Amino acid sequence: MTQGSTDAGNTVPSSTYRLQIRGQFPLRAAAELADYLQALGISAIYLSPILQATSGSDHGYDITSHRQVDPERGGEQGRLALAATARELGLQTVVDIVPNHMGVADAAQNEAWWQLLRDGRESEYAAWFDVDWKAGDGRVKLPVLGDDAGDDQLSVEDGELRYFEHRFPIAEGTVKPGDSAADVHARQHYELVGYRRADNEQNYRRFFAVTDLAGIRVEDRAVFDASHAEILRWVRDGDVQGIRIDHPDGLADPAGYLDWLAAAAPDSWITVEKITEPGERLPAGWPVAGTTGYDALAEVNNLLYDPAAEVEVSRRYAELTGDRRSWSDHLEQGKRMVADTILHAEILRITRAVRHAQPKLPVSDEDVAQTLTELAVAFGVYRSYHPIGAEQLDAAAELAASRRPELRETITNLLPLLSDPGTEISIRFEQATGAIMAKGVEDTAYYRYNRAVGLNEVGGDPGGFGSTPAEFHAAQLQRQQLLPESMTTLSTHDTKRSEDVRARLAVLPELRERWYRTAEQLLSTAPVPRQAFGYLLWQSFAGAGWIERTRMHAYAKKAMREAAEGTSWRDQDAGFEAAVHEAVDRAYDDPQLHRLLDELITEITPYGWSNSLSQKLIQLAMPGIPDVYQGTECYDYSLVDPDNRRPVDFELRRQLLAGFDAGDVSGPPLEEAGAAKLWLTSRVLRARRAHPEWFSSYTPLTVSGPAAEHAVAFDRGGAVAVATRLPVGLHRAGGWQHTAVELGPGRYLDQLTGEHHQGQVAVAELLRRYPVAFLTTDGTND
């Protein structure tokens, strides 16, 4: 069995389509859409979490009960309706599950959390949650109080402790005559504290730093069984064929968890939401098909950038913004900030574990905490899986010691404790490094280092810049060998920008002086307190275009607070934020500014379309199982969540596809609605489903001629993809000229144009109508 393969057999789908199930789009709506998805060519409907979540949750990752389907998402009847429809249409179902945490924003909605708070360590659910009872005087710290909160704001009502809208249980026998609410509060198994105290005093593990998401202990077999019983019932009933695992890096024992799950669902296609750094691979022993595709996203995205442009791009960014820090600087500073603030409680918990294990360790707790912080900041990947990944800890130790030589001895003393597999110290450090990487890099540095924001994507490497076709081919040959059943993607609910926004952003470095001149004018005409953030803002307009003003304001608010340079989620700077929002409004209202942006957007749009189609074809045809995120079969200019969970106009897509199949449209033109992208998507997905044998290998095709570096071409074993890259440079160089691609033996049909080709074909002829070609050997596409 190759790394990443499973025993799922024919349950491996040919493709998936991700749907965000929520109150506005419940399971019955998914059932009603299933015929369209089947016609599109997908073979599996891929659902966001559907177990009961916090009331009003738009995403579903805040599970409050594992016993039933969320009524707001359609309940069990909705699930059964979708299962029946999928079965009738021959479609599989993949479901997203959340083993790492539960939603505890409203304790009254989560029976397990409510009982834990009520009964403390004696609760039947005490084993469920990862609470450090040794800290906080044996009480769970709940950071819910505001800065000005006082005892007079607490009340006892209907047998509950109340703080404004927040409700908490009261342990039996803890209310006495004449008690104040503060007296009652003092006797509970929890303590309501100011929200700022979470940084240092939080004593339950969270999802990253989100206090409303409490970590659960699926390493306990009883907890695993109880929290997965409903999901595994769906699998046994034949209603679910695939499982997507959310955030396995948060678990105490990811490998053990996956072994249990694979044994309980032996025929399922299992993928993990795992972000790998450049050069990193999934642990070979994991019984999964692969990842959810961020690695593939990065490989495709990098193709849109010319590595030769990096020096100029870096120089102009520094000149325009004054930000002369490298990506490594930003990475270190972002990780250090979160390790010292919102995730410092995790460092202190490991420090307590170190002191418990080695009470005579001849260093202070402060030195231990500082050393753990340095090691976490220096860690080069999200986490290791001891004994796998021991070299990552060694490398982090060397880097940390070089940064803080005075801590070298403490680092040496801690290494044996941190590298001992299965111990509390080792486990908690591995859990902490992933959280610090995610919050410090994806949610901080990605908003600070704005050299080319289209590269600041989940699974990407903003410190790199582009790749060549040869490098892409090498990566795909490896993917075909090691991860042939891993998911690939271009957009998800977690991506910072949709694929089509990134496609347009990739045009900016190609424009060179044209872009830098415009950027300089924008930065000077509507300055914001930090020019680097202004550079992000104007790139966002270029990538997203003239989206609704409220959406851009919402994005600007989230982006500047995530960056936490000048303002933040915790401590807002009203002046800073007002300046940013004023710049956003001026983009829409100021004639000069609007014209500058409009001319830029108009110029990059056709090149953006070229990039959109190219990356879509490459992702759909490359090794792996392609996922289409809802709505992205047409152009979709979404920004970070919740913007990317907006309702999709499925009726438009249904009508366009029906028009293709009725013969009303054959090879639609490139235009704003994105019909050409839908045309491309449906042709490739249908071919993958009908002819899997056409996608069973990977062979780079030879492209020769003056514009060879502008083409990416490969043969999957009967299906051939040819795509354009760097379209601005191609245009400025005079087009394809006599560049040619060498097809394999036989005659090929371009499924996009209906034209036949064979042998050595001029790329100018092949790509006369579209910037891409999708060829198949025998001309069928049923």
Side-chain angles (χ1 to χ4, degrees):
M1 186 188 306
T2 61
Q3 178 190 349
S5 68
T6 70
D7 294 324
N10 61 9
T11 63
V12 177
S14 63
S15 61
T16 63
Y17 190 100
R18 169 76 176 206
L19 291 173
Q20 295 297 108
I21 305 299
R22 54 184 183 160
Q24 293 180 338
F25 190 86
L27 288 160
R28 284 194 178 275
E32 293 168 0
L33 188 68
D35 63 327
Y36 161 73
L37 299 181
Q38 199 273 347
L40 184 64
I42 66 109
S43 73
I45 301 173
Y46 169 24
L47 306 175
S48 62
I50 60 172
L51 285 173
Q52 185 164 342
T54 301
S55 180
S57 171
D58 200 35
H59 50 77
Y61 288 95
D62 45 356
I63 304 296
T64 56
S65 173
H66 297 94
R67 296 175 179 170
Q68 64 178 2
V69 177
D70 193 344
E72 293 184 9
R73 288 173 165 73
E76 179 67 0
Q77 291 306 308
R79 186 191 72 80
L80 290 173
L82 176 58
T85 302
R87 191 175 289 112
E88 180 183 343
L89 293 171
L91 298 175
Q92 299 172 12
T93 300
V94 176
V95 66
D96 192 345
I97 69 171
V98 190
N100 179 69
H101 52 267
M102 293 187 75
V104 297
D106 181 356
Q109 294 186 41
N110 187 324
E111 178 188 356
W113 186 247
W114 183 269
Q115 290 196 29
L116 175 80
L117 298 182
R118 186 189 65 197
D119 301 331
R121 279 175 283 190
E122 302 305 315
S123 168
E124 64 177 295
Y125 289 102
W128 276 59
F129 296 96
D130 193 356
V131 178
D132 184 3
W133 295 103
K134 298 185 295 293
D137 301 320
R139 304 170 73 188
V140 182
K141 301 278 190 181
L142 300 179
V144 298
L145 304 181
D147 285 333
D148 59 351
D151 289 343
D152 59 327
Q153 294 174 322
L154 300 179
S155 63
V156 175
E157 302 176 39
D158 299 325
E160 298 173 353
L161 185 67
R162 303 283 179 87
Y163 172 66
F164 293 102
E165 74 276 13
H166 301 283
R167 302 164 54 200
F168 303 97
I170 293 176
E172 185 177 352
T174 58
V175 180
K176 299 179 181 179
D179 275 349
S180 67
D183 294 331
V184 175
H185 174 223
R187 298 190 189 105
Q188 301 312 307
H189 296 287
Y190 56 87
E191 180 185 4
L192 308 183
V193 301
Y195 71 94
R196 294 180 185 271
R197 291 172 63 182
D199 286 1
N200 296 309
E201 300 179 45
Q202 187 76 62
N203 65 340
Y204 62 87
R205 183 172 60 85
R206 304 153 289 170
F207 171 72
F208 301 153
V210 184
T211 57
D212 290 344
L213 298 174
I216 61 173
R217 301 180 60 255
V218 290
E219 65 270 25
D220 183 314
R221 184 64 201 227
V223 177
F224 173 92
D225 289 341
S227 60
H228 288 68
E230 184 69 358
I231 295 160
L232 294 175
R233 181 177 70 83
W234 305 339
V235 173
R236 287 193 304 273
D237 290 348
D239 296 337
V240 166
Q241 292 76 34
I243 302 173
R244 182 257 197 197
I245 312 301
D246 181 66
H247 189 47
D249 276 353
L251 305 181
D253 181 13
Y257 167 82
L258 292 169
D259 284 341
W260 285 350
L261 184 66
D267 297 323
S268 295
W269 179 63
I270 301 175
T271 57
V272 290
E273 186 209 19
K274 167 64 186 169
I275 296 172
T276 54
E277 293 299 293
E280 183 187 9
R281 295 182 185 175
L282 278 183
W286 283 10
V288 300
T291 74
T292 52
Y294 298 130
D295 48 353
L297 185 158
E299 291 164 3
V300 177
N301 194 37
N302 286 341
L303 266 177
L304 305 184
Y305 292 82
D306 181 3
E310 180 175 12
V311 172
E312 180 185 5
V313 171
S314 299
R315 177 178 63 83
R316 296 310 299 266
Y317 169 64
E319 291 173 351
L320 287 166
T321 67
D323 180 12
R324 301 187 181 277
R325 292 170 290 178
S326 68
W327 168 243
S328 295
D329 294 335
H330 279 285
L331 188 150
E332 177 189 351
Q333 291 166 17
K335 292 176 72 175
R336 189 177 303 283
M337 183 195 75
V338 300
D340 286 339
T341 57
I342 59 175
L343 288 169
H344 192 55
E346 313 304 320
I347 297 293
L348 295 180
R349 185 169 183 179
I350 306 168
T351 300
R352 292 193 294 272
V354 169
R355 183 58 65 194
H356 178 75
Q358 297 283 347
K360 296 183 179 180
L361 195 67
V363 292
S364 67
D365 286 355
E366 176 61 25
D367 276 351
V368 172
Q370 287 193 33
T371 300
L372 290 169
T373 296
E374 289 300 326
L375 288 168
V377 170
F379 216 76
V381 296
Y382 277 72
R383 65 169 285 174
S384 56
Y385 309 91
H386 284 310
I388 299 171
E391 71 280 359
Q392 298 292 347
L393 181 59
D394 293 338
E398 282 302 311
L399 180 56
S402 70
R403 290 172 174 169
R404 296 286 301 276
E406 74 277 14
L407 296 176
R408 183 176 291 275
E409 183 176 353
T410 308
I411 291 171
T412 301
N413 288 331
L414 290 184
L415 280 180
L417 301 175
L418 294 170
S419 59
D420 187 2
T423 62
E424 180 184 7
I425 295 168
S426 174
I427 290 170
R428 296 206 179 283
F429 183 72
E430 292 182 81
Q431 291 173 307
T433 58
I436 289 169
M437 177 76 88
K439 293 303 296 179
V441 180
E442 292 173 44
D443 293 344
T444 303
Y446 274 16
Y447 292 94
R448 293 180 174 183
Y449 182 68
N450 298 316
R451 179 180 66 163
V453 298
L455 292 170
N456 296 13
E457 193 50 85
V458 182
D461 177 21
F465 196 90
S467 65
T468 65
E471 291 169 332
F472 175 80
H473 291 316
Q476 300 324 300
L477 288 166
Q478 184 178 85
R479 179 176 295 277
Q480 178 66 32
Q481 178 188 3
L482 299 178
L483 295 167
E485 297 171 356
S486 185
M487 184 182 285
T488 70
T489 191
L490 290 179
S491 298
T492 77
H493 61 285
D494 280 328
T495 44
K496 304 300 182 185
R497 299 161 187 86
S498 71
E499 59 203 64
D500 296 311
V501 171
R502 295 197 308 273
R504 286 156 61 126
L505 288 171
V507 177
L508 296 180
E510 282 210 86
L511 293 178
R512 296 179 182 166
E513 280 304 314
R514 165 74 173 90
W515 158 240
Y516 299 125
R517 229 179 15 254
T518 301
E520 186 174 28
Q521 291 176 281
L522 293 167
L523 289 168
S524 61
T525 303
V528 299
R530 287 182 179 269
Q531 290 288 64
F533 186 81
Y535 201 59
L536 177 148
L537 182 64
W538 301 125
Q539 287 179 80
S540 300
F541 270 103
W546 296 114
I547 61 174
E548 295 91 333
R549 186 189 304 238
T550 54
R551 288 174 56 199
M552 190 60 80
H553 274 297
Y555 173 73
K557 174 183 174 180
K558 180 167 184 173
M560 62 178 146
R561 291 185 180 179
E562 293 279 63
E565 287 190 318
T567 190
S568 69
W569 288 111
R570 173 169 296 183
D571 297 301
Q572 289 94 54
D573 183 309
F576 184 102
E577 297 195 2
V580 171
H581 288 299
E582 180 185 355
V584 171
D585 281 329
R586 289 189 61 189
Y588 290 92
D589 299 333
D590 182 296
Q592 178 188 359
L593 206 63
H594 189 89
R595 178 182 54 79
L596 272 175
L597 275 170
D598 197 56
E599 290 176 353
L600 176 69
I601 291 168
T602 299
E603 183 170 346
I604 67 176
T605 291
Y607 298 118
W609 290 341
S610 176
N611 282 339
S612 286
L613 294 183
S614 289
Q615 66 180 354
K616 197 67 171 180
L617 172 62
I618 292 168
Q619 181 250 336
L620 294 177
M622 69 192 282
I625 308 303
D627 175 56
V628 177
Y629 185 70
Q630 60 175 33
T632 60
E633 64 269 36
C634 291
Y635 296 135
D636 171 73
Y637 298 103
S638 295
L639 296 168
V640 73
D641 73 290
D643 193 63
N644 56 26
R645 292 197 299 268
R646 300 183 334 280
V648 175
D649 187 348
F650 285 117
E651 187 55 36
L652 168 65
R653 288 155 175 78
R654 186 188 288 274
Q655 290 176 4
L656 287 171
L657 186 61
F660 298 159
D661 291 340
D664 296 338
V665 178
S666 178
L670 296 175
E671 42 70 46
E672 289 288 348
K677 192 180 180 191
L678 176 63
W679 173 254
L680 165 67
T681 301
S682 61
R683 302 309 102 175
V684 183
L685 291 183
R686 290 180 181 185
R688 289 199 71 132
R689 187 176 63 193
H691 295 281
E693 72 278 9
W694 289 348
F695 299 87
S696 58
S697 62
Y698 187 89
T699 303
L701 295 182
T702 299
V703 182
S704 57
E709 284 300 302
H710 290 277
V712 182
F714 54 85
D715 186 338
R716 291 298 319 284
V720 170
V722 182
T724 301
R725 65 187 289 266
L726 308 177
V728 177
L730 176 66
H731 174 73
R732 289 176 174 175
W736 292 110
Q737 301 179 60
H738 54 274
T739 302
V741 59
E742 189 71 41
L743 302 178
R747 194 161 177 252
Y748 289 82
L749 171 67
D750 187 342
Q751 296 285 351
L752 304 181
T753 65
E755 298 173 351
H756 288 88
H757 303 279
Q758 63 185 48
Q760 188 179 71
V761 182
V763 177
E765 175 189 344
L766 189 64
L767 305 185
R768 182 173 64 250
R769 178 155 191 180
Y770 296 118
V772 295
F774 175 58
L775 314 171
T776 56
T777 56
D778 64 1
T780 63
N781 188 19
D782 42 63

